[in-house]
Amino acid sequence: MNRQLSDNCVDFINDDDISKLIASASEDEVRVREIIAKSMEKQPLTVEETAVLLAADSDELVEELFDAARELKKKVYGNRIVIFAPLYIGNKCINDCTYCAFRRSMRSTVRKTLNDDELFGQVAALEDAGHKRLILVFGEHPDYTPEYIADTVKQVYKVKSGKGEIRRVNINAAPMDSEGFKIVKDSGIGTYQIFQETYHHDTYNVVHPAQTHKGDYLYRLDGLTRAYEAGCDDVGIGALFGLYDWRFEVLGLVTHSWQLFNRFGCGPHTISFPRIRPAHGVELNDEYAVSDRDFKRLVAILRLAVPYTGMILTARETPEIRREVMEFGVSQIDAGTRVELAGYTNKDKQDERKEQFQIGDLRSLDEIMLDLIQHDYMPSFCTSCYRQGRTGEQFMEFAVPGFIQNFCTPNAIFTMAEYLEDYASDETKSAGMVLLQGEIAKLPQDKRIVVESQLKKIVNDGLRDIYM
Ligand code: SAM
Ligand code: SF4
């Protein structure tokens, strides 16, 4: 395997510096409020400022952080929530990550890579439920070359079941060399997502054995820099919470975000913050388990630290936690999720020997849509930015005045209307129509006229895939 790093690659995570920042920060009400005020002006926070927020632990200050995160989320994203589903393509893996049921030493895991028919079946099932955006997930294995991943992406785009189609395919797979990233980029992917898992070097080395590919901390840390260099300007970072001190991971994520911003003028498109889940054959160590209270704190603090970065909350969490945490700044969730290989067509009980971990939210897409609508969120399947080439630095939402009003809200309305027409249960449809009318009424008159006329084409004329 080619282990070529990016040009001028450096290890930009200094464990001592981060640990010192955490140890030296103590609760400081005045500073916390100053920093919150900066964040409310939609300015990204420095690593030092984020450390000050992490030290706020009294109930009163934590509530202030929650309130600020809620408000900032409304300012930047409104009530839209983008919906996607993960699709596991293959669970063969040459690595041995201690927390994962796909690790190579797990002999009892049933290994499977979807064949062409199975891939078609899974994608068709997802389209039949109403999905438009997928993230394809791969173990790390010589079978899953960049060419193979690119070919899988192209096949997914070709599947058309009924009125369904997948309009955006994201990837979560092992880091590649530059050539590999170029091949995958050319297949038409949206986001390339790689989680560092833990930014803490010693912990990284313990959970990723040295003789494995993933055991190379710097190659992984540098992965998304290579992706950018290869032309992928839409990348997602993440940490697996529960391996080490959650405060350290938050500062690692913010440092990584700044590193990409300083080098490429654009930070990551998304941040993910999964908590470790029980998994087949995995012994969890609770030394660094993140409590629900701390989980809420970390989500709120990340929102404040990186106001324009999308935040992804997955079905690893229960419906109750998802409902609570979503308010603090989440912009994307998965729905109707199955993490078992070929799980979208398996009506029987899930087989844990084919799953990477157990999920906490097993509700269907329609149940989640109804729940969101009832809580006044506007689910969106919009894929327009990436299809119109609106990615990277010049198209970050803050760079374009009126961006949300001109693009995001109308596109959320159109894609939600498509869902309601084609896939929703009666209950979801009637609740959704009321929400849509309310959203349209909030638009300025000129925009409202355009949106209403386009909406008629969807509802009355059966037109699909209308977007701004
Ligand atoms: N194999 C590729 C890699 O490791 O980069 C693709 C990612 S893996 C299939 C998807 C992600 O699942 C990992 O990056 C890890 O953060 C997460 N994961 C693994 N085991 C988990 C567990 N027990 N609970 C929650 N998330 C887990
Ligand atoms: Fe393999 Fe990824 Fe699981 Fe590690 S997390 S064992 S690399 S699938």
Side-chain angles (χ1 to χ4, degrees), residues 99-100 137-140 172-174 195 197 214 220 240 275-277 279 316 356-357:
Y99 45 80
C100 178
V137 186
F138 299 81
E140 180 166 2
N172 183 322
F195 302 160
E197 319 295 10
K214 198 159 162 181
R220 194 164 181 91
L240 183 57
R275 279 194 289 187
I276 295 191
R277 293 284 303 159
R316 289 173 180 84
Q356 192 184 20
F357 48 80

mmCIF file with all atom_site columns, all heavy atoms in Angstrom, residues 99-100 137-140 172-174 195 197 214 220 240 275-277 279 316 356-357, ligand 1:
data_model
loop_
_atom_site.group_PDB
_atom_site.id
_atom_site.type_symbol
_atom_site.label_atom_id
_atom_site.label_alt_id
_atom_site.label_comp_id
_atom_site.label_asym_id
_atom_site.label_entity_id
_atom_site.label_seq_id
_atom_site.pdbx_PDB_ins_code
_atom_site.Cartn_x
_atom_site.Cartn_y
_atom_site.Cartn_z
_atom_site.occupancy
_atom_site.B_iso_or_equiv
_atom_site.pdbx_formal_charge
_atom_site.auth_seq_id
_atom_site.auth_comp_id
_atom_site.auth_asym_id
_atom_site.auth_atom_id
_atom_site.pdbx_PDB_model_num
ATOM   1   N N   . TYR A 1 99  ? -12.799 -1.663 19.275 1.00 0.00 ? 99  TYR A N   1
ATOM   2   C CA  . TYR A 1 99  ? -14.199 -1.314 19.545 1.00 0.00 ? 99  TYR A CA  1
ATOM   3   C C   . TYR A 1 99  ? -15.162 -1.811 18.474 1.00 0.00 ? 99  TYR A C   1
ATOM   4   O O   . TYR A 1 99  ? -16.359 -1.582 18.559 1.00 0.00 ? 99  TYR A O   1
ATOM   5   C CB  . TYR A 1 99  ? -14.316 0.224  19.648 1.00 0.00 ? 99  TYR A CB  1
ATOM   6   C CG  . TYR A 1 99  ? -13.558 0.928  18.540 1.00 0.00 ? 99  TYR A CG  1
ATOM   7   C CD1 . TYR A 1 99  ? -14.099 1.058  17.264 1.00 0.00 ? 99  TYR A CD1 1
ATOM   8   C CD2 . TYR A 1 99  ? -12.268 1.422  18.750 1.00 0.00 ? 99  TYR A CD2 1
ATOM   9   C CE1 . TYR A 1 99  ? -13.400 1.658  16.232 1.00 0.00 ? 99  TYR A CE1 1
ATOM   10  C CE2 . TYR A 1 99  ? -11.549 2.028  17.724 1.00 0.00 ? 99  TYR A CE2 1
ATOM   11  C CZ  . TYR A 1 99  ? -12.122 2.136  16.464 1.00 0.00 ? 99  TYR A CZ  1
ATOM   12  O OH  . TYR A 1 99  ? -11.420 2.720  15.444 1.00 0.00 ? 99  TYR A OH  1
ATOM   13  N N   . CYS A 1 100 ? -14.664 -2.473 17.435 1.00 0.00 ? 100 CYS A N   1
ATOM   14  C CA  . CYS A 1 100 ? -15.496 -2.726 16.251 1.00 0.00 ? 100 CYS A CA  1
ATOM   15  C C   . CYS A 1 100 ? -15.702 -4.219 16.004 1.00 0.00 ? 100 CYS A C   1
ATOM   16  O O   . CYS A 1 100 ? -14.743 -4.996 16.006 1.00 0.00 ? 100 CYS A O   1
ATOM   17  C CB  . CYS A 1 100 ? -14.817 -2.092 15.036 1.00 0.00 ? 100 CYS A CB  1
ATOM   18  S SG  . CYS A 1 100 ? -15.712 -2.382 13.500 1.00 0.00 ? 100 CYS A SG  1
ATOM   19  N N   . VAL A 1 137 ? -20.708 2.623  3.413  1.00 0.00 ? 137 VAL A N   1
ATOM   20  C CA  . VAL A 1 137 ? -19.719 2.338  4.460  1.00 0.00 ? 137 VAL A CA  1
ATOM   21  C C   . VAL A 1 137 ? -18.966 1.058  4.101  1.00 0.00 ? 137 VAL A C   1
ATOM   22  O O   . VAL A 1 137 ? -19.577 0.052  3.709  1.00 0.00 ? 137 VAL A O   1
ATOM   23  C CB  . VAL A 1 137 ? -20.408 2.185  5.834  1.00 0.00 ? 137 VAL A CB  1
ATOM   24  C CG1 . VAL A 1 137 ? -19.375 2.040  6.944  1.00 0.00 ? 137 VAL A CG1 1
ATOM   25  C CG2 . VAL A 1 137 ? -21.323 3.367  6.125  1.00 0.00 ? 137 VAL A CG2 1
ATOM   26  N N   . PHE A 1 138 ? -17.658 1.103  4.261  1.00 0.00 ? 138 PHE A N   1
ATOM   27  C CA  . PHE A 1 138 ? -16.783 -0.019 3.882  1.00 0.00 ? 138 PHE A CA  1
ATOM   28  C C   . PHE A 1 138 ? -15.828 -0.350 5.013  1.00 0.00 ? 138 PHE A C   1
ATOM   29  O O   . PHE A 1 138 ? -15.313 0.565  5.679  1.00 0.00 ? 138 PHE A O   1
ATOM   30  C CB  . PHE A 1 138 ? -15.904 0.363  2.677  1.00 0.00 ? 138 PHE A CB  1
ATOM   31  C CG  . PHE A 1 138 ? -16.652 0.706  1.439  1.00 0.00 ? 138 PHE A CG  1
ATOM   32  C CD1 . PHE A 1 138 ? -17.204 1.971  1.279  1.00 0.00 ? 138 PHE A CD1 1
ATOM   33  C CD2 . PHE A 1 138 ? -16.811 -0.219 0.407  1.00 0.00 ? 138 PHE A CD2 1
ATOM   34  C CE1 . PHE A 1 138 ? -17.892 2.307  0.115  1.00 0.00 ? 138 PHE A CE1 1
ATOM   35  C CE2 . PHE A 1 138 ? -17.499 0.116  -0.753 1.00 0.00 ? 138 PHE A CE2 1
ATOM   36  C CZ  . PHE A 1 138 ? -18.038 1.370  -0.897 1.00 0.00 ? 138 PHE A CZ  1
ATOM   37  N N   . GLY A 1 139 ? -15.521 -1.629 5.208  1.00 0.00 ? 139 GLY A N   1
ATOM   38  C CA  . GLY A 1 139 ? -14.367 -1.992 6.028  1.00 0.00 ? 139 GLY A CA  1
ATOM   39  C C   . GLY A 1 139 ? -13.107 -1.645 5.224  1.00 0.00 ? 139 GLY A C   1
ATOM   40  O O   . GLY A 1 139 ? -13.198 -1.152 4.098  1.00 0.00 ? 139 GLY A O   1
ATOM   41  N N   . GLU A 1 140 ? -11.936 -1.895 5.803  1.00 0.00 ? 140 GLU A N   1
ATOM   42  C CA  . GLU A 1 140 ? -10.711 -1.667 5.021  1.00 0.00 ? 140 GLU A CA  1
ATOM   43  C C   . GLU A 1 140 ? -10.172 -3.025 4.580  1.00 0.00 ? 140 GLU A C   1
ATOM   44  O O   . GLU A 1 140 ? -9.856  -3.880 5.422  1.00 0.00 ? 140 GLU A O   1
ATOM   45  C CB  . GLU A 1 140 ? -9.659  -0.924 5.857  1.00 0.00 ? 140 GLU A CB  1
ATOM   46  C CG  . GLU A 1 140 ? -8.384  -0.685 5.050  1.00 0.00 ? 140 GLU A CG  1
ATOM   47  C CD  . GLU A 1 140 ? -7.438  0.328  5.677  1.00 0.00 ? 140 GLU A CD  1
ATOM   48  O OE1 . GLU A 1 140 ? -7.735  0.834  6.772  1.00 0.00 ? 140 GLU A OE1 1
ATOM   49  O OE2 . GLU A 1 140 ? -6.392  0.595  5.052  1.00 0.00 ? 140 GLU A OE2 1
ATOM   50  N N   . ASN A 1 172 ? -17.957 6.614  3.599  1.00 0.00 ? 172 ASN A N   1
ATOM   51  C CA  . ASN A 1 172 ? -17.140 6.468  4.808  1.00 0.00 ? 172 ASN A CA  1
ATOM   52  C C   . ASN A 1 172 ? -16.275 5.239  4.589  1.00 0.00 ? 172 ASN A C   1
ATOM   53  O O   . ASN A 1 172 ? -16.771 4.110  4.589  1.00 0.00 ? 172 ASN A O   1
ATOM   54  C CB  . ASN A 1 172 ? -18.016 6.303  6.058  1.00 0.00 ? 172 ASN A CB  1
ATOM   55  C CG  . ASN A 1 172 ? -17.182 6.231  7.331  1.00 0.00 ? 172 ASN A CG  1
ATOM   56  O OD1 . ASN A 1 172 ? -16.105 5.635  7.355  1.00 0.00 ? 172 ASN A OD1 1
ATOM   57  N ND2 . ASN A 1 172 ? -17.675 6.833  8.392  1.00 0.00 ? 172 ASN A ND2 1
ATOM   58  N N   . ALA A 1 173 ? -15.015 5.478  4.329  1.00 0.00 ? 173 ALA A N   1
ATOM   59  C CA  . ALA A 1 173 ? -14.090 4.370  4.052  1.00 0.00 ? 173 ALA A CA  1
ATOM   60  C C   . ALA A 1 173 ? -12.698 4.785  4.502  1.00 0.00 ? 173 ALA A C   1
ATOM   61  O O   . ALA A 1 173 ? -12.446 5.967  4.783  1.00 0.00 ? 173 ALA A O   1
ATOM   62  C CB  . ALA A 1 173 ? -14.088 4.048  2.556  1.00 0.00 ? 173 ALA A CB  1
ATOM   63  N N   . ALA A 1 174 ? -11.820 3.814  4.541  1.00 0.00 ? 174 ALA A N   1
ATOM   64  C CA  . ALA A 1 174 ? -10.457 4.068  5.006  1.00 0.00 ? 174 ALA A CA  1
ATOM   65  C C   . ALA A 1 174 ? -9.793  5.157  4.158  1.00 0.00 ? 174 ALA A C   1
ATOM   66  O O   . ALA A 1 174 ? -10.125 5.311  2.975  1.00 0.00 ? 174 ALA A O   1
ATOM   67  C CB  . ALA A 1 174 ? -9.654  2.780  4.905  1.00 0.00 ? 174 ALA A CB  1
ATOM   68  N N   . PHE A 1 195 ? -13.326 9.281  10.223 1.00 0.00 ? 195 PHE A N   1
ATOM   69  C CA  . PHE A 1 195 ? -13.223 9.650  11.641 1.00 0.00 ? 195 PHE A CA  1
ATOM   70  C C   . PHE A 1 195 ? -11.811 9.340  12.131 1.00 0.00 ? 195 PHE A C   1
ATOM   71  O O   . PHE A 1 195 ? -11.292 8.251  11.860 1.00 0.00 ? 195 PHE A O   1
ATOM   72  C CB  . PHE A 1 195 ? -14.207 8.837  12.498 1.00 0.00 ? 195 PHE A CB  1
ATOM   73  C CG  . PHE A 1 195 ? -15.656 8.994  12.095 1.00 0.00 ? 195 PHE A CG  1
ATOM   74  C CD1 . PHE A 1 195 ? -16.601 8.044  12.472 1.00 0.00 ? 195 PHE A CD1 1
ATOM   75  C CD2 . PHE A 1 195 ? -16.096 10.081 11.347 1.00 0.00 ? 195 PHE A CD2 1
ATOM   76  C CE1 . PHE A 1 195 ? -17.931 8.166  12.109 1.00 0.00 ? 195 PHE A CE1 1
ATOM   77  C CE2 . PHE A 1 195 ? -17.426 10.224 10.986 1.00 0.00 ? 195 PHE A CE2 1
ATOM   78  C CZ  . PHE A 1 195 ? -18.352 9.251  11.365 1.00 0.00 ? 195 PHE A CZ  1
ATOM   79  N N   . GLU A 1 197 ? -11.290 8.808  15.096 1.00 0.00 ? 197 GLU A N   1
ATOM   80  C CA  . GLU A 1 197 ? -11.663 7.936  16.230 1.00 0.00 ? 197 GLU A CA  1
ATOM   81  C C   . GLU A 1 197 ? -11.207 8.571  17.544 1.00 0.00 ? 197 GLU A C   1
ATOM   82  O O   . GLU A 1 197 ? -12.030 8.979  18.335 1.00 0.00 ? 197 GLU A O   1
ATOM   83  C CB  . GLU A 1 197 ? -11.119 6.497  16.092 1.00 0.00 ? 197 GLU A CB  1
ATOM   84  C CG  . GLU A 1 197 ? -11.199 5.883  14.699 1.00 0.00 ? 197 GLU A CG  1
ATOM   85  C CD  . GLU A 1 197 ? -12.618 5.667  14.173 1.00 0.00 ? 197 GLU A CD  1
ATOM   86  O OE1 . GLU A 1 197 ? -13.573 6.146  14.792 1.00 0.00 ? 197 GLU A OE1 1
ATOM   87  O OE2 . GLU A 1 197 ? -12.759 5.043  13.097 1.00 0.00 ? 197 GLU A OE2 1
ATOM   88  N N   . LYS A 1 214 ? -4.487  0.736  10.007 1.00 0.00 ? 214 LYS A N   1
ATOM   89  C CA  . LYS A 1 214 ? -5.081  1.852  10.749 1.00 0.00 ? 214 LYS A CA  1
ATOM   90  C C   . LYS A 1 214 ? -4.205  2.264  11.936 1.00 0.00 ? 214 LYS A C   1
ATOM   91  O O   . LYS A 1 214 ? -4.408  3.340  12.507 1.00 0.00 ? 214 LYS A O   1
ATOM   92  C CB  . LYS A 1 214 ? -6.495  1.467  11.212 1.00 0.00 ? 214 LYS A CB  1
ATOM   93  C CG  . LYS A 1 214 ? -7.357  2.660  11.602 1.00 0.00 ? 214 LYS A CG  1
ATOM   94  C CD  . LYS A 1 214 ? -8.831  2.315  11.550 1.00 0.00 ? 214 LYS A CD  1
ATOM   95  C CE  . LYS A 1 214 ? -9.697  3.273  12.307 1.00 0.00 ? 214 LYS A CE  1
ATOM   96  N NZ  . LYS A 1 214 ? -11.118 2.883  12.252 1.00 0.00 ? 214 LYS A NZ  1
ATOM   97  N N   . ARG A 1 220 ? -3.698  8.501  8.898  1.00 0.00 ? 220 ARG A N   1
ATOM   98  C CA  . ARG A 1 220 ? -5.140  8.745  9.019  1.00 0.00 ? 220 ARG A CA  1
ATOM   99  C C   . ARG A 1 220 ? -5.432  10.233 9.227  1.00 0.00 ? 220 ARG A C   1
ATOM   100 O O   . ARG A 1 220 ? -6.316  10.803 8.594  1.00 0.00 ? 220 ARG A O   1
ATOM   101 C CB  . ARG A 1 220 ? -5.705  7.923  10.178 1.00 0.00 ? 220 ARG A CB  1
ATOM   102 C CG  . ARG A 1 220 ? -7.231  7.866  10.161 1.00 0.00 ? 220 ARG A CG  1
ATOM   103 C CD  . ARG A 1 220 ? -7.746  6.770  11.057 1.00 0.00 ? 220 ARG A CD  1
ATOM   104 N NE  . ARG A 1 220 ? -9.196  6.691  11.038 1.00 0.00 ? 220 ARG A NE  1
ATOM   105 C CZ  . ARG A 1 220 ? -9.915  5.929  10.220 1.00 0.00 ? 220 ARG A CZ  1
ATOM   106 N NH1 . ARG A 1 220 ? -9.334  5.157  9.356  1.00 0.00 ? 220 ARG A NH1 1
ATOM   107 N NH2 . ARG A 1 220 ? -11.232 5.931  10.272 1.00 0.00 ? 220 ARG A NH2 1
ATOM   108 N N   . LEU A 1 240 ? -14.767 9.162  17.750 1.00 0.00 ? 240 LEU A N   1
ATOM   109 C CA  . LEU A 1 240 ? -15.601 8.148  18.400 1.00 0.00 ? 240 LEU A CA  1
ATOM   110 C C   . LEU A 1 240 ? -15.517 8.410  19.903 1.00 0.00 ? 240 LEU A C   1
ATOM   111 O O   . LEU A 1 240 ? -14.473 8.146  20.526 1.00 0.00 ? 240 LEU A O   1
ATOM   112 C CB  . LEU A 1 240 ? -15.077 6.758  18.027 1.00 0.00 ? 240 LEU A CB  1
ATOM   113 C CG  . LEU A 1 240 ? -15.854 5.561  18.556 1.00 0.00 ? 240 LEU A CG  1
ATOM   114 C CD1 . LEU A 1 240 ? -17.324 5.598  18.136 1.00 0.00 ? 240 LEU A CD1 1
ATOM   115 C CD2 . LEU A 1 240 ? -15.226 4.259  18.040 1.00 0.00 ? 240 LEU A CD2 1
ATOM   116 N N   . ARG A 1 275 ? -21.073 8.159  19.848 1.00 0.00 ? 275 ARG A N   1
ATOM   117 C CA  . ARG A 1 275 ? -20.617 7.535  21.095 1.00 0.00 ? 275 ARG A CA  1
ATOM   118 C C   . ARG A 1 275 ? -20.509 6.038  20.844 1.00 0.00 ? 275 ARG A C   1
ATOM   119 O O   . ARG A 1 275 ? -21.338 5.467  20.131 1.00 0.00 ? 275 ARG A O   1
ATOM   120 C CB  . ARG A 1 275 ? -21.649 7.769  22.206 1.00 0.00 ? 275 ARG A CB  1
ATOM   121 C CG  . ARG A 1 275 ? -21.540 9.102  22.849 1.00 0.00 ? 275 ARG A CG  1
ATOM   122 C CD  . ARG A 1 275 ? -22.340 9.160  24.148 1.00 0.00 ? 275 ARG A CD  1
ATOM   123 N NE  . ARG A 1 275 ? -23.783 9.167  23.964 1.00 0.00 ? 275 ARG A NE  1
ATOM   124 C CZ  . ARG A 1 275 ? -24.651 9.351  24.953 1.00 0.00 ? 275 ARG A CZ  1
ATOM   125 N NH1 . ARG A 1 275 ? -24.207 9.510  26.205 1.00 0.00 ? 275 ARG A NH1 1
ATOM   126 N NH2 . ARG A 1 275 ? -25.951 9.367  24.732 1.00 0.00 ? 275 ARG A NH2 1
ATOM   127 N N   . ILE A 1 276 ? -19.527 5.413  21.478 1.00 0.00 ? 276 ILE A N   1
ATOM   128 C CA  . ILE A 1 276 ? -19.344 3.968  21.287 1.00 0.00 ? 276 ILE A CA  1
ATOM   129 C C   . ILE A 1 276 ? -20.591 3.220  21.727 1.00 0.00 ? 276 ILE A C   1
ATOM   130 O O   . ILE A 1 276 ? -21.181 3.550  22.755 1.00 0.00 ? 276 ILE A O   1
ATOM   131 C CB  . ILE A 1 276 ? -18.166 3.438  22.128 1.00 0.00 ? 276 ILE A CB  1
ATOM   132 C CG1 . ILE A 1 276 ? -16.881 4.052  21.637 1.00 0.00 ? 276 ILE A CG1 1
ATOM   133 C CG2 . ILE A 1 276 ? -18.081 1.922  22.076 1.00 0.00 ? 276 ILE A CG2 1
ATOM   134 C CD1 . ILE A 1 276 ? -15.664 3.396  22.214 1.00 0.00 ? 276 ILE A CD1 1
ATOM   135 N N   . ARG A 1 277 ? -20.961 2.216  20.937 1.00 0.00 ? 277 ARG A N   1
ATOM   136 C CA  . ARG A 1 277 ? -22.125 1.383  21.247 1.00 0.00 ? 277 ARG A CA  1
ATOM   137 C C   . ARG A 1 277 ? -21.660 -0.044 21.528 1.00 0.00 ? 277 ARG A C   1
ATOM   138 O O   . ARG A 1 277 ? -20.606 -0.471 21.037 1.00 0.00 ? 277 ARG A O   1
ATOM   139 C CB  . ARG A 1 277 ? -23.053 1.354  20.029 1.00 0.00 ? 277 ARG A CB  1
ATOM   140 C CG  . ARG A 1 277 ? -23.688 2.676  19.726 1.00 0.00 ? 277 ARG A CG  1
ATOM   141 C CD  . ARG A 1 277 ? -24.798 2.989  20.687 1.00 0.00 ? 277 ARG A CD  1
ATOM   142 N NE  . ARG A 1 277 ? -25.807 1.943  20.695 1.00 0.00 ? 277 ARG A NE  1
ATOM   143 C CZ  . ARG A 1 277 ? -26.664 1.727  21.689 1.00 0.00 ? 277 ARG A CZ  1
ATOM   144 N NH1 . ARG A 1 277 ? -26.635 2.467  22.763 1.00 0.00 ? 277 ARG A NH1 1
ATOM   145 N NH2 . ARG A 1 277 ? -27.567 0.755  21.609 1.00 0.00 ? 277 ARG A NH2 1
ATOM   146 N N   . ALA A 1 279 ? -21.212 -3.842 20.928 1.00 0.00 ? 279 ALA A N   1
ATOM   147 C CA  . ALA A 1 279 ? -21.079 -4.539 19.643 1.00 0.00 ? 279 ALA A CA  1
ATOM   148 C C   . ALA A 1 279 ? -20.717 -5.989 19.922 1.00 0.00 ? 279 ALA A C   1
ATOM   149 O O   . ALA A 1 279 ? -20.123 -6.315 20.955 1.00 0.00 ? 279 ALA A O   1
ATOM   150 C CB  . ALA A 1 279 ? -19.995 -3.873 18.800 1.00 0.00 ? 279 ALA A CB  1
ATOM   151 N N   . ARG A 1 316 ? -27.093 5.679  16.348 1.00 0.00 ? 316 ARG A N   1
ATOM   152 C CA  . ARG A 1 316 ? -26.485 5.012  17.495 1.00 0.00 ? 316 ARG A CA  1
ATOM   153 C C   . ARG A 1 316 ? -27.227 5.440  18.762 1.00 0.00 ? 316 ARG A C   1
ATOM   154 O O   . ARG A 1 316 ? -27.293 4.713  19.739 1.00 0.00 ? 316 ARG A O   1
ATOM   155 C CB  . ARG A 1 316 ? -25.012 5.403  17.641 1.00 0.00 ? 316 ARG A CB  1
ATOM   156 C CG  . ARG A 1 316 ? -24.091 4.832  16.570 1.00 0.00 ? 316 ARG A CG  1
ATOM   157 C CD  . ARG A 1 316 ? -22.721 5.435  16.725 1.00 0.00 ? 316 ARG A CD  1
ATOM   158 N NE  . ARG A 1 316 ? -21.746 4.975  15.749 1.00 0.00 ? 316 ARG A NE  1
ATOM   159 C CZ  . ARG A 1 316 ? -21.600 5.465  14.532 1.00 0.00 ? 316 ARG A CZ  1
ATOM   160 N NH1 . ARG A 1 316 ? -22.406 6.416  14.105 1.00 0.00 ? 316 ARG A NH1 1
ATOM   161 N NH2 . ARG A 1 316 ? -20.657 5.005  13.724 1.00 0.00 ? 316 ARG A NH2 1
ATOM   162 N N   . GLN A 1 356 ? -22.025 -3.932 12.716 1.00 0.00 ? 356 GLN A N   1
ATOM   163 C CA  . GLN A 1 356 ? -20.805 -3.349 13.287 1.00 0.00 ? 356 GLN A CA  1
ATOM   164 C C   . GLN A 1 356 ? -20.988 -3.011 14.765 1.00 0.00 ? 356 GLN A C   1
ATOM   165 O O   . GLN A 1 356 ? -20.061 -3.074 15.555 1.00 0.00 ? 356 GLN A O   1
ATOM   166 C CB  . GLN A 1 356 ? -20.443 -2.084 12.503 1.00 0.00 ? 356 GLN A CB  1
ATOM   167 C CG  . GLN A 1 356 ? -19.061 -1.587 12.823 1.00 0.00 ? 356 GLN A CG  1
ATOM   168 C CD  . GLN A 1 356 ? -18.760 -0.287 12.130 1.00 0.00 ? 356 GLN A CD  1
ATOM   169 O OE1 . GLN A 1 356 ? -19.658 0.435  11.714 1.00 0.00 ? 356 GLN A OE1 1
ATOM   170 N NE2 . GLN A 1 356 ? -17.492 0.030  12.022 1.00 0.00 ? 356 GLN A NE2 1
ATOM   171 N N   . PHE A 1 357 ? -22.196 -2.604 15.110 1.00 0.00 ? 357 PHE A N   1
ATOM   172 C CA  . PHE A 1 357 ? -22.542 -2.272 16.503 1.00 0.00 ? 357 PHE A CA  1
ATOM   173 C C   . PHE A 1 357 ? -24.058 -2.238 16.582 1.00 0.00 ? 357 PHE A C   1
ATOM   174 O O   . PHE A 1 357 ? -24.741 -2.279 15.548 1.00 0.00 ? 357 PHE A O   1
ATOM   175 C CB  . PHE A 1 357 ? -21.947 -0.917 16.918 1.00 0.00 ? 357 PHE A CB  1
ATOM   176 C CG  . PHE A 1 357 ? -22.205 0.180  15.918 1.00 0.00 ? 357 PHE A CG  1
ATOM   177 C CD1 . PHE A 1 357 ? -23.418 0.835  15.876 1.00 0.00 ? 357 PHE A CD1 1
ATOM   178 C CD2 . PHE A 1 357 ? -21.232 0.530  14.975 1.00 0.00 ? 357 PHE A CD2 1
ATOM   179 C CE1 . PHE A 1 357 ? -23.673 1.817  14.937 1.00 0.00 ? 357 PHE A CE1 1
ATOM   180 C CE2 . PHE A 1 357 ? -21.476 1.515  14.021 1.00 0.00 ? 357 PHE A CE2 1
ATOM   181 C CZ  . PHE A 1 357 ? -22.710 2.160  14.006 1.00 0.00 ? 357 PHE A CZ  1
HETATM 182 N N1  . SAM B 2 .   ? -13.517 0.973  8.089  1.00 0.00 ? 1   SAM B N1  1
HETATM 183 C C1  . SAM B 2 .   ? -13.493 2.371  7.812  1.00 0.00 ? 1   SAM B C1  1
HETATM 184 C C2  . SAM B 2 .   ? -12.743 3.115  8.870  1.00 0.00 ? 1   SAM B C2  1
HETATM 185 O O1  . SAM B 2 .   ? -12.536 2.557  9.937  1.00 0.00 ? 1   SAM B O1  1
HETATM 186 O O2  . SAM B 2 .   ? -12.414 4.258  8.616  1.00 0.00 ? 1   SAM B O2  1
HETATM 187 C C3  . SAM B 2 .   ? -14.900 2.837  7.707  1.00 0.00 ? 1   SAM B C3  1
HETATM 188 C C4  . SAM B 2 .   ? -15.534 3.223  8.930  1.00 0.00 ? 1   SAM B C4  1
HETATM 189 S S1  . SAM B 2 .   ? -16.344 2.170  10.009 1.00 0.00 ? 1   SAM B S1  1
HETATM 190 C C5  . SAM B 2 .   ? -17.124 0.985  9.053  1.00 0.00 ? 1   SAM B C5  1
HETATM 191 C C6  . SAM B 2 .   ? -17.470 3.453  10.505 1.00 0.00 ? 1   SAM B C6  1
HETATM 192 C C7  . SAM B 2 .   ? -17.222 4.049  11.849 1.00 0.00 ? 1   SAM B C7  1
HETATM 193 O O3  . SAM B 2 .   ? -17.951 3.297  12.800 1.00 0.00 ? 1   SAM B O3  1
HETATM 194 C C8  . SAM B 2 .   ? -15.820 4.042  12.421 1.00 0.00 ? 1   SAM B C8  1
HETATM 195 O O4  . SAM B 2 .   ? -15.075 5.127  11.931 1.00 0.00 ? 1   SAM B O4  1
HETATM 196 C C9  . SAM B 2 .   ? -16.050 4.109  13.918 1.00 0.00 ? 1   SAM B C9  1
HETATM 197 O O5  . SAM B 2 .   ? -15.969 5.439  14.405 1.00 0.00 ? 1   SAM B O5  1
HETATM 198 C C10 . SAM B 2 .   ? -17.492 3.651  14.076 1.00 0.00 ? 1   SAM B C10 1
HETATM 199 N N2  . SAM B 2 .   ? -17.608 2.513  15.003 1.00 0.00 ? 1   SAM B N2  1
HETATM 200 C C11 . SAM B 2 .   ? -16.887 1.386  15.004 1.00 0.00 ? 1   SAM B C11 1
HETATM 201 N N3  . SAM B 2 .   ? -17.242 0.616  16.059 1.00 0.00 ? 1   SAM B N3  1
HETATM 202 C C12 . SAM B 2 .   ? -18.209 1.288  16.741 1.00 0.00 ? 1   SAM B C12 1
HETATM 203 C C13 . SAM B 2 .   ? -18.968 1.019  17.915 1.00 0.00 ? 1   SAM B C13 1
HETATM 204 N N4  . SAM B 2 .   ? -18.804 -0.085 18.646 1.00 0.00 ? 1   SAM B N4  1
HETATM 205 N N5  . SAM B 2 .   ? -19.879 1.945  18.310 1.00 0.00 ? 1   SAM B N5  1
HETATM 206 C C14 . SAM B 2 .   ? -20.065 3.074  17.609 1.00 0.00 ? 1   SAM B C14 1
HETATM 207 N N6  . SAM B 2 .   ? -19.392 3.376  16.492 1.00 0.00 ? 1   SAM B N6  1
HETATM 208 C C15 . SAM B 2 .   ? -18.449 2.498  16.052 1.00 0.00 ? 1   SAM B C15 1
#
